[in-house]
Amino acid sequence: MAELSTIARPYAEALFAAVRDDSQGLESWSALLSEMAQVAGLHDVREALNDPRLNNGQRLELFTGLVKSQVTEKARNFLQLLVDNQRILLLPQIAEQFDLLKHQLEGTAQAQIISAFPMAEAQVAELTAGLEKKFGLKLKPTVTVDADLIGGIRVIVGDQVLDTSVQARLASMRDTLTA
């Protein structure tokens, strides 16, 4: 079976192409998709949308009723397409792919910084500036603390990982010694 992200990619690309120049703006579309993805990710919603007693019109009305934000005509048409193709539950993956396309257009990326100890704002800013030079992108950092790293940091940008943690170095030494 194909990866869910592979199935979701064409829907995200089609929506991105359709709304790229929309007056509503990519940021608002991203926020709406994120909200719809959260709704689609709820267990009870998934069960309700898979109920064979509902027709596609009822599924669409049920889903749009659960979304707190106003669903525009364009968004409703997109949801209708997803319901008709039985892809409404792929909204979390579609939202993720849409955000990747948005970041690519803006020349930005998410940077997940995992540190062994809490970092000050100045440290995060300095690290982010260095990483932006390395990757050639404007980074939006998200910092978390993981004491299991023992020391150092791990940075994830897209599919690239920079790991300077003590944990990674110990694992490398262990692998070298057992080889």
Side-chain angles (χ1 to χ4, degrees), residues 1-11 87 90 93-94 96-97:
M1 188 171 144
E3 283 283 326
L4 294 179
S5 60
T6 304
I7 298 168
R9 186 173 296 115
Y11 292 98
R87 300 291 193 227
L90 285 178
Q93 290 82 11
I94 293 170
E96 183 180 319
Q97 294 288 329

Side-chain angles (χ1 to χ4, degrees), residues 88-156:
I88 190 80
L89 298 179
L90 285 178
L91 271 166
Q93 290 82 11
I94 293 170
E96 183 180 319
Q97 294 288 329
F98 186 89
D99 281 342
L100 288 174
L101 291 168
K102 182 172 97 40
H103 289 309
Q104 186 177 18
L105 177 71
E106 296 169 344
T108 62
Q110 285 292 117
Q112 184 181 3
I113 300 171
I114 305 158
S115 173
F117 302 100
M119 296 177 69
E121 284 294 321
Q123 291 174 313
V124 173
E126 184 180 336
L127 176 62
T128 302
L131 291 170
E132 286 175 347
K133 286 179 185 174
K134 177 173 178 47
F135 289 105
L137 296 169
K138 178 79 176 137
L139 298 177
K140 297 178 181 177
T142 304
V143 180
T144 56
V145 176
D146 182 3
D148 290 341
L149 295 180
I150 305 169
I153 61 168
R154 178 180 299 141
V155 179
I156 304 169

Side-chain angles (χ1 to χ4, degrees), residues 23-77:
S23 61
Q24 195 175 356
L26 289 177
E27 197 61 47
S28 62
W29 273 99
S30 180
L32 179 62
L33 271 177
S34 177
E35 181 182 346
M36 291 190 296
Q38 289 176 354
V39 171
L42 296 172
H43 178 71
D44 291 342
V45 172
R46 295 177 85 76
E47 280 186 19
L49 291 174
N50 282 324
D51 189 341
R53 296 174 291 184
L54 296 178
N55 63 36
N56 286 348
Q58 292 169 319
R59 283 185 179 92
L60 180 64
E61 290 306 316
L62 171 70
F63 191 82
T64 55
L66 294 172
V67 177
K68 290 182 181 175
S69 298
Q70 180 182 352
V71 179
T72 64
E73 187 64 31
K74 203 177 262 192
R76 189 175 179 79
N77 290 340

